[in-house]
Amino acid sequence: MQVLPTTPSALVAHLVDLAAAAPGRRRVLVDGAAALEPTALADALVVPLRAAGRAVVRVHADDFLRPASVRYEHGRQDPDAYLEDRLDVGGLAREVLDPFAVDGTYLPSLWDARRDRATRAARTRAPEGAVLVVDGELLLGRWFDVDLTVHLTVRPATLARRLGDERAWLLPAFARYDQEVAPQDVADVVVRLDDPRRPALVVR
């Protein structure tokens, strides 16, 4: 295994090249703890992908959470529930990832977690050649059918520091994820972000 230092701009360019490497519609997952800002990295892909001639669809996994009655059945700070019960895995696959590959249709959102009710969003169709970029936490190991997976990682001590005391209860969830899913082994691209200004690519 090699760790190759890079820069934020070079990282984005590398991911854009990979995402746009093949014709047709493409599906990209950017996975990482929210403290590592996977949303920001996913957003950074939009403009250069469009500059490369690809339409871009952005979807947030947090818009496909399960109802609060399911997510919080064992309390609001249960790490096992956060890992197992938070995301509507079937909904994200059924409403976004699978149909997008068939005919470009997708549902932009399914559940408003803040209001705890369905968003009632309308289905949309992306053009041929569009790239779907989905960001979120704990996305790998879900049997999602996608074309490119990116995993953001840091040392456990770094994650603990970035989560802080209020979110330290999440640490066991991410520890289980690392142990059971091994995202650094299954992702197509692994990015170390212990220093966000100096990311590094893990090459196996």
Side-chain angles (χ1 to χ4, degrees):
M1 182 179 69
Q2 290 181 298
V3 179
L4 304 178
T6 185
T7 65
S9 59
L11 172 62
V12 168
H14 176 62
L15 295 179
V16 167
D17 287 344
L18 292 175
R25 298 185 182 94
R26 303 271 285 168
R27 296 159 297 173
V28 179
L29 290 185
V30 181
D31 169 67
L36 306 186
E37 301 186 352
T39 299
L41 178 58
D43 286 345
L45 305 180
V46 174
V47 171
L49 277 169
R50 287 175 177 162
R54 307 296 287 261
V56 183
V57 172
R58 281 289 284 115
V59 169
H60 306 285
D62 277 2
D63 290 328
F64 289 81
L65 301 186
R66 301 174 80 183
S69 60
V70 177
R71 300 198 316 273
Y72 301 139
E73 182 179 1
H74 303 288
R76 289 183 173 267
Q77 294 189 348
D78 185 287
D80 291 327
Y82 197 85
L83 175 61
E84 299 168 1
D85 301 328
R86 181 173 179 268
L87 180 66
D88 184 349
V89 174
L92 184 55
R94 180 182 66 251
E95 304 294 351
V96 183
L97 297 171
D98 294 345
F100 186 88
V102 175
D103 59 8
T105 60
Y106 66 96
L107 198 65
S109 62
L110 182 62
W111 195 259
D112 184 335
R114 186 175 62 85
R115 297 183 178 182
D116 198 34
R117 67 186 187 189
T119 61
R120 301 187 185 279
R123 296 198 70 80
T124 304
R125 185 186 299 272
E128 182 65 29
V131 178
L132 168 69
V133 183
V134 180
D135 68 276
E137 297 183 299
L138 308 168
L139 297 180
L140 303 182
R142 308 286 191 175
W143 301 102
F144 289 137
D145 185 7
V146 297
D147 303 291
L148 178 67
T149 54
V150 182
H151 175 64
L152 310 182
T153 185
V154 292
R155 292 187 295 267
T158 304
L159 181 59
R161 185 171 65 253
R162 293 191 190 173
L163 287 175
D165 292 340
E166 289 187 1
R167 294 183 292 170
W169 64 272
L170 289 169
L171 288 170
F174 289 104
R176 267 193 64 196
Y177 183 58
D178 286 342
Q179 181 178 12
E180 296 175 10
V181 176
Q184 296 190 55
D185 295 330
V186 301
D188 297 311
V189 180
V190 177
V191 183
R192 287 190 177 175
L193 287 174
D194 289 283
D195 183 346
R197 299 166 299 177
R198 298 178 179 86
L201 290 168
V202 178
V203 180
R204 297 184 292 274

